[in-house]
Amino acid sequence: DQQVKQNSPSLSVQEGRISILNCDYTNSMFDYFLWYKKYPAEGPTFLISISSIKDKNEDGRFTVFLNKSAKHLSLHIVPSQPGDSAVYFCAASAINAGNMLTFGGGTRLMVKP
Amino acid sequence: DSGVTQTPKHLITATGQRVTLRCSPRSGDLSVYWYQQSLDQGLQFLIQYYNGEERAKGNILERFSAQQFPDLHSELNLSSLELGDSALYFCASSVGEYQPQHFGDGTRLSIL
């Protein structure tokens, strides 16, 4: 039972355009959500997070949106750069489960110059 | 550089053997987490320690165990290894709950 799903295995965008990565979850107890970026042969790198009391959080070119009623979150990258090409994972945790993260399967983003 | 150090980077061993993976958390982080990434299962939580005490357990096999030492480094012990244990094992650390976890670069374990 996948509690966190990233339905798009891959996404290709042109440099300078917006990249939108999506994530759905089923566990209504999740209340803290994160996005990680992963390059080959490296560990996941933290990008941005959002708690369930907010619906938007921005950090530079990265914005995360949370729609609790739809159990959906998205990561917007504007403008996209070739260096953003990587695998992106969304993750979620619930207060009653400590800080253990449940990860989605990842989306491979390719930004073309 | 996340500040989380994992050793060794690669480990090749045979079925039935026992290995120990080591993790040094970021300076100041009290929580350590272990995750397994295999091709068919994605990133799966194994176990969490906070300041030396076990805090949460995921789907960790009984053949696997972990501990966190007084200097806050952690070790993951895998015994009676099977072919299916071949995976990337990541360690992460955080200051506390509701704080982002920062990951090391992992240990790639190959069972022959």
Side-chain angles (χ1 to χ4, degrees):
Chain A
D1 174 28
Q2 265 190 298
Q3 297 187 66
V4 179
K5 283 186 183 178
Q6 294 175 255
N7 290 318
S8 298
S10 64
L11 174 68
S12 181
V13 300
Q14 208 65 37
E15 180 180 6
R17 306 294 290 267
I18 184 171
S19 295
I20 300 176
L21 296 104
N22 294 303
C23 179
D24 297 296
Y25 62 96
T26 57
N27 188 343
S28 57
M29 299 302 292
F30 287 147
D31 53 8
Y32 183 55
F33 304 88
L34 308 91
W35 284 94
Y36 286 85
K37 175 171 75 172
K38 188 180 182 305
Y39 294 118
E42 294 183 11
T45 299
F46 169 71
L47 280 176
I48 192 168
S49 63
I50 187 167
S51 76
S52 59
I53 62 172
K54 292 185 165 185
D55 54 19
K56 178 182 173 182
N57 190 25
E58 281 181 85
D59 185 359
R61 296 185 298 114
F62 302 94
T63 303
V64 56
F65 294 91
L66 175 63
N67 183 334
K68 290 185 289 292
S69 60
K71 294 191 178 67
H72 177 84
L73 65 155
S74 61
L75 175 69
H76 292 208
I77 307 174
V78 184
S80 300
Q81 300 172 354
D84 295 330
S85 297
V87 178
Y88 288 77
F89 291 95
C90 66
S93 68
I95 185 86
N96 65 352
N99 205 26
M100 60 170 277
L101 295 179
T102 301
F103 282 86
T107 296
R108 181 175 301 278
L109 173 66
M110 291 161 284
V111 180
K112 299 177 186 175
Chain B
D1 181 10
S2 69
V4 178
T5 304
Q6 288 188 248
T7 56
K9 288 193 184 306
H10 303 278
L11 205 45
I12 302 174
T13 189
T15 55
Q17 296 298 304
R18 173 188 167 95
V19 296
T20 297
L21 313 184
R22 183 188 167 100
C23 170
S24 293
R26 292 189 322 162
S27 176
D29 285 358
L30 299 178
S31 279
V32 169
Y33 312 79
W34 287 96
Y35 292 84
Q36 179 191 57
Q37 185 181 30
S38 55
L39 278 173
D40 56 344
Q41 292 288 325
L43 267 159
Q44 301 274 316
F45 169 76
L46 293 177
I47 196 163
Q48 176 198 358
Y49 279 83
Y50 176 83
N51 204 20
E53 305 253 333
E54 182 185 301
R55 282 295 289 258
K57 249 182 174 177
N59 292 328
I60 186 168
L61 299 171
E62 284 193 16
R63 299 184 286 108
F64 295 2
S65 65
Q67 54 184 326
Q68 186 179 27
F69 294 87
D71 67 352
L72 300 177
H73 92 271
S74 177
E75 292 180 356
L76 179 67
N77 300 296
L78 315 177
S79 61
S80 302
L81 287 167
E82 301 175 359
L83 292 176
D85 298 328
S86 295
L88 265 169
Y89 291 84
F90 288 104
C91 170
S93 72
S94 70
V95 171
E97 294 182 353
Y98 274 143
Q99 296 295 322
Q101 295 176 30
H102 298 272
F103 284 75
D105 285 340
T107 293
R108 181 173 294 281
L109 176 63
S110 299
I111 313 299
L112 303 179

